[in-house]
Amino acid sequence: MNPLFKEIRRNPMLWLLVFVPVAFAAEKLKPEAHTLLFVLSVIAIVPLATLLSHATESVAAKTGDAAGGLLNATLGNLTELVIALAALRAGDYMLVKASIAGAIVTNTLFMLGASFLLGGLKHHVQEYNRVSARTQAGLLFLATIALLVPSAIAGADSAQRPAFIQQLSVGLSVLLIVAYALGMLFSLKTHRELFASAAHNEEGEAPWPMGLALATLAGVTVLVALVSEIFVESVQQAAQDFGMTPAFVGFIVVALVGGAAEMASAFSGARKNRLDLSVGIALGSASQIALFVAPVLVLLSYVVGPTPMDLQLWPGAVVMMFVATLCAAFITVGGRSAWFVGVLLLMVYLVFAMTLYLLPPQAP
Amino acid sequence: MNPLFKEIRRNPMLWLLVFVPVAFAAEKLKPEAHTLLFVLSVIAIVPLATLLSHATESVAAKTGDAAGGLLNATLGNLTELVIALAALRAGDYMLVKASIAGAIVTNTLFMLGASFLLGGLKHHVQEYNRVSARTQAGLLFLATIALLVPSAIAGADSAQRPAFIQQLSVGLSVLLIVAYALGMLFSLKTHRELFASAAHNEEGEAPWPMGLALATLAGVTVLVALVSEIFVESVQQAAQDFGMTPAFVGFIVVALVGGAAEMASAFSGARKNRLDLSVGIALGSASQIALFVAPVLVLLSYVVGPTPMDLQLWPGAVVMMFVATLCAAFITVGGRSAWFVGVLLLMVYLVFAMTLYLLPPQAP
Amino acid sequence: MNPLFKEIRRNPMLWLLVFVPVAFAAEKLKPEAHTLLFVLSVIAIVPLATLLSHATESVAAKTGDAAGGLLNATLGNLTELVIALAALRAGDYMLVKASIAGAIVTNTLFMLGASFLLGGLKHHVQEYNRVSARTQAGLLFLATIALLVPSAIAGADSAQRPAFIQQLSVGLSVLLIVAYALGMLFSLKTHRELFASAAHNEEGEAPWPMGLALATLAGVTVLVALVSEIFVESVQQAAQDFGMTPAFVGFIVVALVGGAAEMASAFSGARKNRLDLSVGIALGSASQIALFVAPVLVLLSYVVGPTPMDLQLWPGAVVMMFVATLCAAFITVGGRSAWFVGVLLLMVYLVFAMTLYLLPPQAP
């Protein structure tokens, strides 16, 4: 257990782990204190996501290149998946969909923008591999488009029939998962050289022994699942107390909390002038949400949800996802960055956040 | 007549020519067997399109560079034009519009995607002239945008007035044809060097003598027109029997049938690692539909149609055309391709096809 | 006063200054002759805009690099700002918004397209700095997106609440102005080298002495304000007489009149094969409208307007602005131009103009 404690001593973010038992205790003692439970569960998820990310990388490092890459790619958004699953079981499909859309938008605008800004404040102009960035931005663009087609087509027509949307969502989910599997074959096997190294270990972070890594992976996933349940149960009420719309919570809060670990890696890469890493994490993670997390949730809704979930998104979310991936594709076309590019990406993100915050709540 | 028979012996696709008389016979004998007539006419059009394409290229090769290029560019989509004319005369404007939109989408997503996939399965990474591809993708993007403006503007406004749309469609058609003429001047005269060689003859396919080529051109055009009439008459009923929506038939079936000959050339170029050729055929053909076929059909509707046709498209078609050309523009920006890029383009196409297949039929 | 008269003698466009007193006289004598007043005020604004632009550049040249750049960037769209202010005071928010949207569309499609066409007719293929052009197109794209978010989100939802839109517009305006200030810091201070020289003096145009320049700046601004008032008062009635819709007047006429001086500079740069200059003027001016003029007008509407103005645009304007900046971004990605690229940009502009001209007037 030594490396785990060493890691905890080294990384101040992990000190927040103390909030995990606090959150469980608070739920037992004060099940009605929604705002408190919401805040505690948010704070507790951040260090768990960091641990999960570290454990996944350790297992990946041990199992070797192909299998490790596969694992890393599949479990990279495990936190987002577990939170969304808790919302799925609770039948809160609005929250599930908002968190899918929000994760894509947050990764492409906030994670990328803040990386550019933080890197640009330290380095005058940063260059990165534009062939690799273009490939990844292209994949993300096509993946997002595929995900958005049902909403765009159905939204454009006046007569929306639920049965049609449901059939389409299942067919689309199968297609997306097939594309995801082929994409793994592409990025891990046939065209590995096009992608920036998937392992984003910090220097000085030796991988953990296999047993510890697997145990951490299993244990922390269970903890995330339990904390996510507290989060999902309290979020609606707490959002109202804070004056936040449900759309804002799903889009912004869940996405920032779920992606905290990856953001730490991306920002650290940018500061070290390794923007390839930051761009790879941001765009790769967003692609994975579109190609893997979203369709898996649709298919799982037939097993765990009270009713099947479709992929039709709220029109504003469609606009935001489309715009976010378009921005990412435009910005990465040149392979150069400076601080103001980051500012502009963050500004678009802030505009989205402000819109969602001010948006009057809608009938579901 | 020798070269024609030699060609037929050499090219197995032309053996399907036997279905041309079969289709005519079936129409005389069983005019009510819509499904049979539909299938027969589809099979009969494919070899006719191939012959038409070969005859056009032969005439073009004989008449020399500029005039030949002009001919090739104008008659390259003759099959699509003749099918659409048959639908126009029958007053089936939904089919006409769906076949215009479908040809653009099929060329940019299916033809380009399958070329990338087929080429990528044989060659690890394929490079092509990105300056030429960008120019062509840019032209296609602007041409599609111009074509979509009336639908986008009118669709965005609640009050759509038919007279306004009709006036706008005619004005736009004139503008598009002027732009097309200037584009010919540009690509055949002033900036010929920017475009990949327009002649896409297979090696070993000697051009036919002029007389034979002209006779074939005339005769086959008449045959395509006659078969198209059987096709248009039977398609509605047959689509219902097959459970296909009219939108699916126009968008997918007509586009795949009408473009069969060009697809054969594009795929063969990709296998031979001549992706410039494939990209040129796919993007050039799509541009031609937008700048030439579509406006000509609008203007011809005043002569041959029961009522004038406008250019207002169904909103879902607008989304698909816009997305397809955007994808093409993004994907071709780097000038490199690998098999997975083709998979993703095909996936977006499959998503579109699935959406159209499942879409509940609408009131016209 | 010598340099001013020398300039007037040299530049035939300034001879139109004679229409300034004519317009004032006409307003006193025939206040009901709306069509005449409209025509006179349009003709009078063109030379005033030219003088304003020259005076701004002279002051900028004297005050040195950073402050001069700041001045140039801030006052570059002074004419547009003053015309919009006159419309704001008159409470004609439709005209204000149309002129904002129209200035962005006209700069990116007409000014850029005509520069490419005029330059391309003289030079076979023109190259320009694609890194600088991409940066500027990227900034313009993000700025336009931010400006469009409220309209896109609100337009996508059925329930639009005025209070929400108003709050969002104010918040957005503050954000845009902050981004504009940071952008100045970026382009004038930290990353000056990425931008083409902001001063676009003609050779042989010596800067004026400071006193003359400042006096001209002040005097001409007052004259523009006075003429703009005649323009705004007469435009509604005159548009009706000419059969032009209010949208057409705001979008096309105001934008062309207000941007006349910058167009002269951009076109002259293109003819001299200095396309960097033309692209910089066109994209920079459009960014400035989005990031500075639009939010300033929203905030000023609380002071000078009868009621606060929001940033919600008519859906057709959203489509046009989005398409225009997308076209600009695509076209400038390669850093090369030829005459037909200009033709296509102009064609899209013509399609927009035709649509607005034919569009049946709407209830406000």
Side-chain angles (χ1 to χ4, degrees), chain A residues 22-325:
Chain A
V22 172
F24 291 137
E27 205 221 354
K28 280 280 161 293
L29 299 174
K30 297 199 158 199
E32 297 308 304
H34 294 296
T35 313
L36 180 73
L37 288 173
F38 170 77
V39 173
L40 287 175
S41 59
V42 163
I43 301 178
I45 286 175
V46 172
L48 288 173
T50 311
L51 266 188
L52 210 55
S53 157
H54 198 129
T56 307
E57 280 170 24
S58 292
V59 178
K62 294 278 170 189
T63 50
D65 236 28
L70 195 75
L71 199 73
N72 221 338
T74 312
L75 299 187
N77 282 307
L78 192 55
T79 313
E80 281 90 341
L81 188 58
V82 172
I83 298 179
L85 264 177
L88 198 65
R89 285 183 49 203
D92 190 350
Y93 292 167
M94 170 73 191
L95 186 61
V96 178
K97 291 178 184 179
S99 75
I100 293 172
I104 293 177
V105 169
T106 299
N107 281 341
T108 44
L109 293 179
F110 181 79
M111 202 189 290
L112 205 60
S115 295
F116 285 168
L117 177 58
L118 290 171
L121 289 177
K122 202 162 164 193
H123 308 274
H124 187 67
V125 169
Q126 296 187 290
E127 309 252 346
Y128 50 93
N129 184 342
R130 74 158 175 264
V131 172
S132 153
R134 267 185 206 163
T135 309
Q136 295 193 62
L139 304 194
L140 172 61
F141 185 71
L142 291 181
T144 309
I145 285 299
L147 189 63
L148 293 184
V149 164
S151 314
I153 304 294
D157 276 306
S158 41
Q160 308 171 18
R161 309 213 187 152
F164 157 63
I165 295 292
Q166 195 56 48
Q167 276 181 301
L168 189 60
S169 298
V170 173
L172 178 64
S173 297
V174 173
L175 254 174
L176 288 170
I177 289 176
V178 170
Y180 182 67
L182 290 171
M184 303 272 259
L185 185 67
F186 181 71
S187 63
L188 300 175
K189 190 104 192 156
T190 71
H191 288 68
R192 214 181 315 172
E193 78 282 359
L194 285 183
F195 291 82
S197 101
H200 33 86
N201 267 314
E202 303 290 298
E203 285 94 359
E205 275 185 24
W208 297 342
M210 192 63 165
L212 172 65
L214 279 180
T216 309
L217 201 55
V220 171
T221 303
V222 172
L223 286 178
V224 172
L226 292 173
V227 177
S228 295
E229 240 158 71
I230 305 181
F231 173 78
V232 168
E233 269 163 31
S234 62
V235 67
Q236 294 281 31
Q237 197 61 44
Q240 237 169 4
D241 296 352
F242 278 117
M244 293 189 285
T245 57
F248 181 84
V249 171
F251 230 82
I252 307 291
V253 178
V254 174
L256 287 175
V257 167
E262 284 156 313
M263 281 175 205
S265 299
F267 297 162
S268 143
R271 298 292 292 175
K272 290 175 187 151
N273 208 10
R274 297 174 59 199
L275 261 194
D276 277 316
L277 206 62
S278 314
V279 173
I281 295 172
L283 299 185
S285 176
S287 296
Q288 199 191 11
I289 301 276
L291 287 174
F292 181 70
V293 174
V296 159
L297 287 170
V298 169
L299 297 183
L300 280 178
S301 75
Y302 281 82
V303 186
V304 302
T307 57
M309 185 179 82
D310 60 46
L311 270 175
Q312 186 167 24
L313 294 155
W314 161 66
V318 173
V319 171
M320 289 184 189
M321 289 167 74
F322 180 72
V323 162
T325 48

